[in-house]
């Protein structure tokens, strides 16, 4: 089929490096691998273009250049969404998938009016996030956008039950499918073997923000009293400098890679022996953590804070070791147990890999397309 993928979020570059960009790229990649013809419409293209997506047709709807007030920016994003809808009316694709953004309802409305099955991907309650962490001038317009887009979509794809509840609270008639994130189990694979002679490497991948709990990981590593351990922190963010300072004070061996391209992540994961998702209790409960899916695909033993969707997708003692968010002592105990028991690392890593094989992006996109054609009961979840 001819499928249009739309991203009208100015904070997400199609070919960017953060998790949202990875999500967009993997959905497009899985659709193309299934034989569909995909073209992308976005506000920002980005320059971290993977080789296998270099031939992807991309139409960019840039915002006006120059400094803008929040009000002007919101108005510009809304106008860009209308231009994208006009492009959809001209292209007449057979399916439309749009990543939910604050001011784009016209794409879903246009697809619905033209009889084109369409899906609205909702990855977070953006209304609350924008108002809490940034600014939101046109709250009423943004709320009306969510309601109109959710009602018009053939299906709303929510990454977690918390996100589904949020959508249905604002748009009770929406047809909602709960579908967690996936992972590319062909791009991310375990290494042929992990060299037990090398110093143990403990890794983290993600944005360095407070609720990711990287400082808890550093504290736990210091408490373990194993100076030979190495830590590999992959990513960048507002906490980067404070975390570097903390690592120095704790006399830890830590490699901070900074921001990396998605293409670099598989090789970095293969260097790790243990992967950690040390979410704190301050983390919002609605997330669907890409990093954990990638850890599992790499066949890594996972240690994770028992919070949000992690408690639904991971089983303590089977596919991961879980701990109370923020409890550095408990995290230390898990790290020591894994460090001292290679067989436990192998068992958990193999179980995680088996689980990941059932969470492929191909499976995610196939279910999405099926739901777009069939719809689900209005006001319901599945």
């Amino acid at each position: 089929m001819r499928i249009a993928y739309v991203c009208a979020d100015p904070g997400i570059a199609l070919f960017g490096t953060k998790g949202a960009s990875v999500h967009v790229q993997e959905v497009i990649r899985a659709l193309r691998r299934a034989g569909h013809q995909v073209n992308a419409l976005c506000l920002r293209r980005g320059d971290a273009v993977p080789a296998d997506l270099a031939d992807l047709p991309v139409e960019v709807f840039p915002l006006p250049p120059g400094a803008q007030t929040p009000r002007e920016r919101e108005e510009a994003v809304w106008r860009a969404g209308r231009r994208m809808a006009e492009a959809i009316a001209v292209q007449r694709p057979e399916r439309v998938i749009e990543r939910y953004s604050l001011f784009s309802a016209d794409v879903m409305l246009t697809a619905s009016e033209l009889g084109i099955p369409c899906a609205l991907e909702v990855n977070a309650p953006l209304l609350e996030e924008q108002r809490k962490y940034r600014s939101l001038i046109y709250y009423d317009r943004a709320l009306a956008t969510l309601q109109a887009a959710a009602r018009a979509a053939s299906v709303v794809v929510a990454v977690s039950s918390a996100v589904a509840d949020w959508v249905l609270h604002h748009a009770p008639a929406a047809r909602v499918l709960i579908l967690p994130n996936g992972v590319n189990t062909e791009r991310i694979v375990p290494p042929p073997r992990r060299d037990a002679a090398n110093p143990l490497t403990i890794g983290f991948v993600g944005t360095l923000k407070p609720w990711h709990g990287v400082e808890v990981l550093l504290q736990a590593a210091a408490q373990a009293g194993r100076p030979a351990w190495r830590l590999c922190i992959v990513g960048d963010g507002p906490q980067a400098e404070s975390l570097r300072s903390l690592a120095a004070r704790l006399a830890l061996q830590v490699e901070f890679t900074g921001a990396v391209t998605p293409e670099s992540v598989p090789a970095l994961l293969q260097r790790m022996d243990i992967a950690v998702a040390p979410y704190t209790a301050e983390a919002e409960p609605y997330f669907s953590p890409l990093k954990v899916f990638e850890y599992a695909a790499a066949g890594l033993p996972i240690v994770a804070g028992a919070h949000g969707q992690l408690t639904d997708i991971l089983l303590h003692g089977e596919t991961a070791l879980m701990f109370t968010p923020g409890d550095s002592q408990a995290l230390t105990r898990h790290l020591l147990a894994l460090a001292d028991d290679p067989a436990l690392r192998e068992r958990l890593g193999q179980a995680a890999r088996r689980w990941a094989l059932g969470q492929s992006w191909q499976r995610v996109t196939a279910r999405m397309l099926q739901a777009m054609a069939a719809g689900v009961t209005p006001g319901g979840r599945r």
Side-chain angles (χ1 to χ4, degrees), residues 161 219 337:
S161 58
Q219 292 161 2

Side-chain angles (χ1 to χ4, degrees), residues 264-281:
S264 303
V265 170
L268 288 165
L269 291 172
Q270 290 193 345
R271 291 170 45 195
M272 301 173 186
D273 299 294
I274 300 169
V276 184
Y279 287 101
T280 69

Side-chain angles (χ1 to χ4, degrees), residues 306-328:
H307 187 60
Q309 193 183 70
L310 291 177
T311 60
D312 297 327
I313 64 176
L314 299 176
L315 291 176
H316 177 69
E318 295 187 25
T319 52
L321 296 181
M322 311 289 284
F323 67 96
T324 301
D327 187 344
S328 63

